[in-house]
Amino acid sequence: MPTTIAGITIPDTALVREATALVRQAADDNLFNHSRRVFLWGTLKAAARGLEMDLELAYVGGLFHDLGLTLDYRTKDRRFELDGAEAAYTFLRDHGRTEEEARNVWLAIALHTTPEVPLHMAPEVAVVTLGVETDVLGLELDQITPDQRAEVVAAHPRPDFKRRILQAFYDGMADRPQTTFGTMNDDVLAHFDPAFQREDFVRIIQQNAWPE
């Protein structure tokens, strides 16, 4: 039977049930509840903007967006966003979705820590960023009504979320610090590790192999 939260009905399909089971097994309560909230916040904001989208694709984008932070899916040599994007792409293709549909979800996850750009792409791409920016950064929180907020958080609580999500980011990236260059993720490593040395974009330009 479909579940409806804050007016958003989560599709009751085999694809959605299997996506839920996969992420539920790989992620702890903190990441799982965060991922479901990302889908719900993003869908609410997308609807308010008049965006029409495939809810199954939006759901997989929201559910898989932090999968690259988990032990089962993270790699050592690429951005965590790409780990989740690859997992979602494979999952969707295995479930009969088209190349374009799977690629849009890949983009949604791969770009969810890249501000602004996803909002100019397909609704299935934009929805993940809208949800992440709401749940993690609190951006445009006033666009979600108090009743909607209360209903979503009742279904998917966020106890001590600010501290716990930062810890989850750090735990998922600490052993691949080189992958955080050019993203906001290096802020997380610098926060937890005083010895962390950020790459410097200007220095790379000034000291690269090209002769003056």
Side-chain angles (χ1 to χ4, degrees):
M1 184 173 181
T3 299
T4 299
I5 301 170
I8 302 299
T9 299
I10 298 170
D12 185 20
T13 65
L15 185 150
V16 164
R17 289 191 295 271
E18 289 177 32
T20 303
L22 185 153
V23 178
R24 178 72 277 188
Q25 181 174 353
D28 63 11
D29 288 345
N30 181 52
L31 282 182
F32 178 76
N33 283 320
H34 163 57
S35 298
R36 292 264 289 198
R37 291 195 306 269
V38 162
F39 164 72
L40 293 164
W41 302 138
T43 304
L44 285 167
K45 283 191 170 179
R49 287 163 169 76
L51 299 178
E52 295 183 2
M53 63 194 173
D54 184 313
L55 282 181
E56 282 191 332
L57 299 182
Y59 187 80
V60 172
L63 263 285
F64 280 58
H65 85 278
D66 274 348
L67 202 58
L69 298 173
T70 68
L71 284 172
D72 290 345
Y73 288 90
R74 69 181 183 229
T75 62
K76 300 278 189 180
D77 58 355
R78 65 186 180 189
R79 290 172 53 166
F80 85 88
E81 301 96 318
L82 296 180
D83 294 336
E86 290 292 332
Y89 177 88
T90 300
F91 177 85
L92 287 168
R93 292 295 279 150
D94 287 347
H95 285 75
R97 288 305 195 130
T98 68
E99 165 69 21
E100 181 180 6
E101 290 168 339
R103 182 58 56 184
N104 275 340
V105 177
W106 188 97
L107 287 167
I109 298 171
L111 295 176
H112 82 267
T113 58
T114 303
E116 192 174 352
V117 173
L119 303 182
H120 296 271
M121 302 180 77
E124 290 81 6
V125 180
V127 66
V128 175
T129 291
L130 287 170
V132 169
E133 290 181 345
T134 302
D135 206 50
V136 178
L137 303 178
L139 298 186
E140 298 177 331
L141 193 56
D142 59 336
Q143 295 180 8
I144 308 292
T145 70
D147 286 346
Q148 288 170 332
R149 284 184 235 169
E151 192 169 341
V152 170
V153 172
H156 296 290
R158 37 180 295 144
D160 196 21
F161 178 69
K162 293 179 182 180
R163 183 194 65 79
R164 293 175 71 191
I165 195 62
L166 284 171
Q167 187 68 56
F169 290 152
Y170 179 71
D171 291 344
M173 296 185 293
D175 60 352
R176 45 179 164 174
Q178 75 285 355
T179 69
T180 66
F181 172 63
T183 77
M184 61 191 73
N185 297 327
D186 61 0
D187 290 338
V188 176
L189 297 192
H191 172 77
F192 284 94
D193 181 4
F196 173 64
Q197 296 293 316
R198 299 174 189 259
E199 290 285 357
D200 186 313
F201 180 67
V202 173
R203 181 190 61 76
I204 291 172
I205 294 174
Q206 291 174 334
Q207 298 180 8
N208 70 39
W210 282 104
E212 284 297 320

